[in-house]
Amino acid sequence: MGTFQPAEEREMDRRKEEEREENGSKLPEDLEKGGRVGVLPEQAMERDIKNTNNQGDMHAAMLHRLNPTNPLRIILNGGVRVATPPPQPSSSGPSGHHRHQHHQSPVPRSISTPQQPAVINLNSKAYTDKVYLFLFVLHLILAVGLVGFLVFKGIHGLLYASESIKRKERMVLQYFLPQVEVASLLSISLAFAWQKAVRLWPKFMVHFILWCSFAMSLSAGILLVCFQMPATEGVGVCFLVFAIGNGLYACWVSQRIGFCSKVFIKSLEPVEKFPDLNQPTYWMLGAGFLWMSIWILAVIGALNFSFPPLTIIVLVLSLAWTAEVMRNVANITVSRVISLYYLRGMQSNTQFCLQRALTRNLGSASLGSLFVPTIEALRILARGLNLLEGEDEFMFSCAHCCLHVMNSIFRRGNSWAFVQIASYGRDFVRASQDTWKLFEMNDMVPIVDSDITSSICFLTGVCSGSICVIVISSWTFTVHRGFTATISLLSFLVGYLMTRIAMALPHACVSCYYVCYAENPEGQLFDGTIKDRQTLLKLNREVVTTTPRMPHQSKT
C-alpha cells in the first residue's frame, strides 16, 4: 500500500505540471512586450543598463559618438581618441599583410602636422655660374697677356723700330696719352661728386640728372659739329640725336620723378649705418684707373701691330666687360650688406661681402655684365617700336611680338637678380626668375617695371662722359686736330664706365629696397611708400604707362 501515492498528492503534481506548461507558453509574449517574467539574465542586465543611462546619465551617453570617417575613432569632448582594435591572428600572404596594415593605429585626420619651413642658407659656399666664371677668368688671362704683349711692342717700337714708327708713337704718347689720363681722373672725380650729391639731395638730383644729361650731351654734340671735320661731325650728330631722345624721355617720365625721389630717400637711409660701405667702390675705381692706364699703353702698342683697328676694337670690348664686372661686384657687395640688414637685421662685414663677390659670386657678375645691358637695350628698342607702331604700317606689325619676347627674356635676366645672388648665392637665371615671381605675387610688377633708377644711373654716366668729351675734345682740337674724334669717343667711354662704377651704391640700395620688400612686405624697416603707390594704381588715381602706344586712327 505504501507504494501508491494518495489521490491528493497526485492531484497536486498534476496542477504543478499544468502551471509549468502555462509559464512556458507565456515566455515569448512576455519577452516581446518587455515584461519581467521569464527574462534571461543577460537580457535583463542589458535592459537595466539602458534604463539607467536613459534616466540618470544622458550626458555621458552623448559624449560617446563614433566618428563617421573612421569607426575606430571615438570623439570625446571635441578631442580624438583612437580605439585599440582587438589583436588579429597573423597570416601570411598578400591578404594577411593587407589586413595587418589596415588594423594599424591610424593617424587622426583632424590633427594636422605642421611642416617646418625650409631653412634658407645665407652663407652659401657654392660658386654661382661656374661656366661664366671660367670664361671671365680665361678672358682676364688672355687680356693681361695681350695687353702685356702690346705694351712690349710699343716699347720695342720706340727703341728699335724705324724712324717713321718711332715718330708716330712719340706723337701718340705726346698728344694722346695725357688726354686719356686726364679723362680718367676727371671721370673719377665726377663719379664721386655724383654719388655724394645723390646721397645728400636725392630729390633734387633726380630732376637735375635728367636735364643735365640732356644739356651736356647737346652741348657736346654742338661742339663736335662746330669743329667742322668729317669725323667730329659724325660723332657730334650721334650726340645730338641722343640729346633729343634724352629730352623726350625726361618729359615722358616726369610723372614718375616724385615716386622715384621717395624711393631714393628711403632706400639710402641704411647707408649711414655702414660707414665703410663705400670702400668697395673705392677699390673698384682704383683698380679701374690702374687698368685704364696700362690699357692706354696697349692701345699705343697696337699701332705697331698687325690689324690695328681690329686689335683696338677687341681691347675696347674687353675694357667694357671688365668695367661692367667691376660695377656689378660693387653692386653685389652693397646688395649683400643692405639685404641682410633688411631681412635679418644683421650688421654685415663689408670686407667679407666684397670677398664673396670677388670669388663665389663672380660668375654671376660676369654673366650679368654680358647680358643685362644687351637685354635692356633690346627691350628699350622693342618699346620704341611700339611707340612708333601704326595701324597701317607693315614694318611694325611684329612690334607686339618683339616686345613680348623681350619681356619674357627680361624675366630670366634682369638687374634685380643681383640682390638674391648676393643674399642666397643663387645663379643668375634662377635669381632673376625668383625675383620676378616675388614681384608678381605682391602686385609690384607695374611699380618695378616703371622704375627709372636704372635710367637715372645710366644718364649720370652719360652726363659724366659728355663733360669729359667737352673738356678733352677742346684740348685735343687745340694741340692735335687729327686725334679729336678718337679721343672724344675714348674719353666718353672712360667717363661713362667710371661713373657707372660709382653709381653702383645707390642703384644697389634701391634694388634691395624693392626686392626685400617683395620678400617681406610686413617688415618693420619698410614704410607705406610702396603700399600707397599700389593703392593709387588700383584706384586709377595715378596712371603708370610703361609702353605707351599711339592712338588708333579711325577708318574713314
Side-chain angles (χ1 to χ4, degrees), residues 140 194 219 357 364 375-376 407 498 524:
L140 278 183
W194 286 118
S219 301
S364 297
I375 292 173
E376 290 183 350
N407 287 335
M498 291 295 181
Q524 297 180 356

Side-chain angles (χ1 to χ4, degrees), residues 267-268 327 330-336 338-339 342 418-419 453 457 503-514:
S267 62
L268 290 173
R327 178 175 73 91
N331 190 345
I332 291 175
T333 303
V334 177
S335 296
R336 180 169 179 84
I338 301 299
S339 62
Y342 279 134
F418 291 116
V419 179
T453 303
C457 296
M503 291 298 292
L505 188 146
H507 190 193
C509 291
V510 174
S511 299
C512 289
Y513 185 78
Y514 279 115

Side-chain angles (χ1 to χ4, degrees), residues 393-549:
E393 295 290 338
F394 175 77
M395 62 181 300
F396 299 114
S397 60
C398 61
H400 292 291
C401 180
C402 293
L403 182 61
H404 179 74
V405 171
M406 291 313 304
N407 287 335
S408 178
I409 296 174
F410 184 77
R411 292 186 183 94
R412 293 165 175 83
N414 50 73
S415 59
W416 307 103
F418 291 116
V419 179
Q420 290 207 1
I421 291 171
S423 303
Y424 307 121
R426 295 172 180 168
D427 291 337
F428 176 75
V429 176
R430 182 189 171 190
S432 301
Q433 293 176 337
D434 292 347
T435 304
W436 201 258
K437 287 179 181 177
L438 286 175
F439 290 152
E440 291 177 343
M441 290 171 58
N442 292 277
D443 296 330
M444 292 180 60
V445 173
I447 297 176
V448 173
D449 204 29
S450 62
D451 180 70
I452 61 174
T453 303
S454 299
S455 301
I456 294 297
C457 296
F458 169 76
L459 293 178
T460 305
V462 170
C463 191
S464 295
S466 300
I467 294 174
C468 291
V469 168
I470 294 172
V471 175
I472 302 302
S473 63
S474 302
W475 179 12
T476 307
F477 184 79
T478 304
V479 296
H480 196 286
R481 296 186 179 183
F483 291 158
T484 304
T486 304
I487 293 182
S488 297
L489 289 175
L490 189 56
S491 60
F492 175 81
L493 179 64
V494 171
Y496 171 80
L497 293 177
M498 291 295 181
T499 303
R500 289 305 304 269
I501 293 175
M503 291 298 292
L505 188 146
H507 190 193
C509 291
V510 174
S511 299
C512 289
Y513 185 78
Y514 279 115
V515 176
C516 294
Y517 177 85
E519 189 167 348
N520 183 20
E522 302 300 329
Q524 297 180 356
L525 298 175
F526 301 107
D527 59 358
T529 302
I530 297 179
K531 290 183 179 179
D532 295 342
R533 182 73 167 180
Q534 290 176 327
T535 303
L536 291 176
L537 293 178
K538 290 179 180 179
L539 296 175
N540 294 326
R541 295 180 59 184
E542 187 164 352
V543 180
V544 176
T545 308
T546 57
T547 54
R549 296 170 175 80

Side-chain angles (χ1 to χ4, degrees), residues 13-30:
D13 293 337
R14 187 179 61 81
R15 292 179 180 178
K16 288 181 180 180
E17 290 293 334
E18 291 177 356
E19 290 179 359
R20 290 194 189 100
E21 290 177 1
E22 290 177 1
N23 291 334
S25 63
K26 292 181 180 179
L27 180 60
E29 184 180 0
D30 293 335

Side-chain angles (χ1 to χ4, degrees), residues 74-92:
I74 300 174
I75 303 177
L76 290 176
N77 293 331
V80 177
R81 185 172 64 189
V82 181
T84 304
Q88 298 292 333
S90 61
S91 61
S92 60

